[in-house]
Amino acid sequence: MQKALFGIETEYAYHARLRSGHLDNGTYFMEVAKKMLPHLECWEKGICLENGARLYVDCGGHPEYATPECTDPWDAVRHVVAGDRLMAGILQQMRENGLVEDVWMSRCNVDYSGNGSTWGCHTSYLTRSEPRYFGDRLRPFLISRVIFSGAGGWFPGASPPAFVLSARSFFLVRDVTSDTQGAHGIFHLRNERHAGGCYHRLHILPGESLMSQYAIFLTVATTALVVAFLDENPFADCFTELPDTIRDLRVYAGDPACSFPCRKGKGKPMTALDVQYRYLEQCESVADQSHMPPWSRTVCWHWRFILDAIGRNDVPTLASRLDWAMKKLMFDGLCESEDPSELLPGVIWPPSSPRVASLHEADMRFGQISERSIFESMDIAGMLRHRMVSEQSIRDAMTTPPSGSRAVVRGRMVRQYAGNRNMFGGWTGIIDQSGNRKYDLSDPLALSGSWRPWHAARGRERVMASEPVFYAEMNDTVTRYRQGWYAGSLEALERMTPRMSDMRPLTRERFYRYQAWLRARMGYDDAEHLLVTSPSRAAGATGIYDVLSAVRFTGLEPPAAIMRWIQRMKDFKGEEWPLFIQRDEAFVEHLAAYALSRGRDQQALRLLDESEKNTGQIHIILRRRVLSSEALRRLGREREARGMLDRASDWAQAHTQKGNVADYILMQHVRFQVDRAGAEPYLQEAEAIQRELRQDVGLLRTLLLRARFAGDMETAKLLHFQCVEILNRRPGLARCRFVKRIMSRWNHWVTADLKSIPPSRRFWLI
């Protein structure tokens, strides 16, 4: 019978505050992991482990663990749980080292704090058909399997809280995507071939991290059967069409009773249970055929068993095996109990949290990587019947690859060459940089490989073998940039420039993007030119957005050129434009900033109110809230404006945004003042931070505002001298229209009676 092959990638929610006060972006986590675990550096990023797995820090600073290639679902379960054990060991070592104040990790899927972060669990399957051939026939299965693959949770932003089968499903916005790090989709079309010959990688995105071994087993195994069936029957037309996949997914995910039907094209409405039975019947009919895995019958039995239990609402069976049912039982108890500790005696609950906050925290702590997690407490208490593999096999999986695939060879070679800096690992082989050779593992099912000259390898691998250190430096630089450390970040990029010619095109694209953005933030006015003329500039909407971001931060206000790039994006998107500006919060923030700079306060507020509903990165959320505060202030809604600023301040404090505190938070506090006594403390604090970080653009803004509040010409004269010093240092700033206006009307700027000027015009839109 046909051997199946698949793997699971788990994204972990991670928070670690170092003794220095900074948040770890994953750098220290990986440093500890490398000291603890036998490994080879991976030629892409991260490290290859002796059990055949790969560990790395993904975009956003969260650790990600990719299991080795597994040939049966029991091995997949073992290695997922083994990954959790390895994570727990790393966290424990971090605590023992004494360099972290606190560290926390969880297999939760949604962050309820308001920033819209999600953490997924992606699966990859070996196929002979290209990914695009699976789309319409596989999507109905993927959206309906939520009735047993859902992790459970709370509907994002609902008041009062509403329990759903899958909270992460409500963050999926597209049917199909070619990007795993941008807009989340149900189906992934990018054909990343991690194998040679006729093999392809089918990468499935809408999974969730689960704690129940039974739920992990069922999710991986049933998907493997459906993929095997469709791979062998590329023209099978036995499943129903979906007029609106995203809508149907949200209907199914939001229905804990699993009974609400969705209309399928011209056919009759079907519940998720109906759709699953259709797929099950097809797989049962071919379970003994040669193209199906040898364990197909066993999986079909478990599949039917759980569908039958869902159909008859068998709460004891479901609540002991499926994550969402476990959580629902727990949440029902929490909602009814006056004292949550009575429900689970081993769990410590926050004594003063409001009820909703406690429910959100319970969801995030359910999958905590800790012996004190709620799931572990329930398991120890004997409430669950989810185990599919033995404890000994999990311990073995922490150091031993699964049998039946190239993972066996990879694990053996990691043990043999661990610590050798000339050796690099990857999914398709091991590179010996000093010997100019590669051990070829392009056949994913082979149990052996062979050395061949490295010059015959793909050029991509040659480049990537020199990239792990560069990639780590780049990630650290980007994190510091987002926190406002512009000068140091730009200097770091300049030190990295000589190595750029050896990097991959995507790495060079990222490098030049941040270099241009940093130059704009540092007061240079050549960022637009650098990106437009760069041979590594991104294409399409990404390229337009890169230039738009550089233009936005050139000078003290968005220059007129920003409108040209906004129009280019509008032309590029065409009919998608209305939907695009609803979903892309970063772009909307640029639109709102431009509207404010032109005095269109109501328009800016409307845009910002819409984008507040969306997710976003930490620094974007901070700027968005400050812009909202300023729009409200100008409109005379001071109480609301101060409330929004308080939200932004709390956000910045929680995420160590020191540079952005000076550039945005403190400057916004100043705008609420009408005299020097009220403004001076904020201005002094901002100036101290900006001088420490060498933020010339922010420092110029602070000095101009100090002059506005000066009250006497002598002080204003000294400040004028300091401003001129900055403009001599940064000629690009001197060409800013707004700066030229103030410097040419200096006496008027420093002698105005602020109390007599309306709030909207008090600072000339600075």
Side-chain angles (χ1 to χ4, degrees), residues 130-144:
E130 292 185 24
R132 59 193 176 96
Y133 290 118
F134 290 90
D136 291 339
R137 297 171 301 137
L138 184 59
R139 278 201 299 271
F141 170 79
L142 294 178
I143 70 167
S144 59

Side-chain angles (χ1 to χ4, degrees), residues 17 89 112 157 183 233 239 260 313-315 454 493 508 533 535 700 717:
R17 186 176 295 278
Y112 294 104
N233 300 275
F239 305 115
F260 198 91
N313 193 27
D314 186 347
V315 175
W454 188 27
L493 289 184
R508 292 199 299 271
T533 60
L700 178 63
K717 184 177 179 180

Side-chain angles (χ1 to χ4, degrees), residues 212-523:
S212 162
Q213 294 181 18
Y214 190 86
I216 297 170
F217 171 90
L218 203 58
T219 301
V220 174
T222 57
T223 307
L225 293 191
V226 174
V227 168
F229 172 78
L230 296 176
D231 201 18
E232 184 67 19
N233 300 275
F235 302 107
D237 187 22
C238 51
F239 305 115
T240 52
E241 59 181 298
L242 293 167
D244 191 336
T245 311
I246 293 295
R247 182 202 62 194
D248 291 350
L249 171 63
R250 292 175 177 177
V251 169
Y252 289 154
D255 177 28
C258 305
S259 61
F260 198 91
C262 290
R263 180 167 294 279
K264 305 301 177 188
K266 298 179 182 179
K268 69 174 184 178
M270 299 179 71
T271 66
L273 200 58
D274 295 332
V275 178
Q276 282 295 306
Y277 272 123
R278 289 280 295 273
Y279 279 93
L280 170 59
E281 289 162 3
Q282 291 295 326
C283 290
E284 285 178 328
S285 69
V286 297
D288 298 320
Q289 295 184 13
S290 60
H291 64 274
M292 298 297 285
W295 32 263
S296 297
R297 280 288 170 203
T298 303
V299 171
C300 284
W301 184 92
H302 285 286
W303 194 354
R304 184 168 289 278
F305 169 79
I306 206 67
L307 294 184
D308 290 346
I310 293 171
R312 63 176 182 269
N313 193 27
D314 186 347
V315 175
T317 296
L318 300 177
S320 62
R321 290 172 172 84
L322 301 183
D323 283 61
W324 71 260
M326 296 174 192
K327 288 183 181 179
K328 188 172 189 308
L329 184 66
M330 176 187 69
F331 290 148
D332 288 345
L334 289 176
C335 291
E336 295 171 3
S337 173
E338 292 296 326
D339 182 6
S341 63
E342 295 177 357
L343 184 69
L344 294 173
V347 179
I348 300 174
W349 298 90
S352 58
S353 292
R355 178 65 63 178
V356 172
S358 291
L359 294 175
H360 288 171
E361 182 173 350
D363 189 17
M364 298 190 72
R365 290 188 55 199
F366 182 82
Q368 188 174 346
I369 304 301
S370 166
E371 294 178 355
R372 291 172 53 188
S373 76
I374 295 174
F375 176 83
E376 291 295 333
S377 299
M378 295 173 74
D379 200 18
I380 292 170
M383 300 169 64
L384 310 179
R385 296 184 61 187
H386 71 104
R387 295 183 180 272
M388 298 295 291
V389 296
S390 68
E391 186 63 28
Q392 183 58 49
S393 69
I394 294 171
R395 287 195 290 269
D396 292 343
M398 294 172 67
T399 56
T400 307
S403 60
S405 76
R406 63 187 177 188
V408 174
V409 186
R410 186 186 308 111
R412 183 176 69 242
M413 298 193 78
V414 168
R415 284 192 292 274
Q416 180 179 350
Y417 294 109
N420 188 330
R421 295 190 176 184
N422 290 313
M423 306 294 289
F424 296 88
W427 295 120
T428 58
I430 306 294
I431 289 177
D432 178 4
Q433 196 168 15
S434 61
N436 289 320
R437 59 180 185 163
K438 177 189 177 186
Y439 195 84
D440 183 24
L441 293 175
S442 57
D443 183 350
L445 299 174
L447 299 179
S448 63
S450 60
W451 289 105
R452 61 182 175 87
W454 188 27
H455 60 75
R458 289 181 290 176
R460 177 172 179 261
E461 293 166 351
R462 175 185 296 275
V463 169
M464 291 166 68
S466 63
E467 219 169 13
V469 174
F470 186 96
Y471 195 92
E473 291 177 14
M474 188 72 196
N475 275 349
D476 188 55
T477 300
V478 170
T479 298
R480 290 173 66 81
Y481 156 75
R482 290 174 174 173
Q483 293 175 345
W485 300 70
Y486 305 136
S489 299
L490 184 58
E491 290 169 0
L493 289 184
E494 289 171 351
R495 289 193 297 270
M496 295 160 67
T497 300
R499 290 178 281 164
M500 276 307 300
S501 59
D502 296 330
M503 297 300 116
R504 290 181 294 162
L506 283 176
T507 303
R508 292 199 299 271
E509 174 190 311
R510 187 177 185 225
F511 176 91
Y512 289 119
R513 169 186 300 133
Y514 280 100
Q515 184 184 54
W517 290 355
L518 280 163
R519 287 184 68 81
R521 297 289 200 135
M522 286 297 295

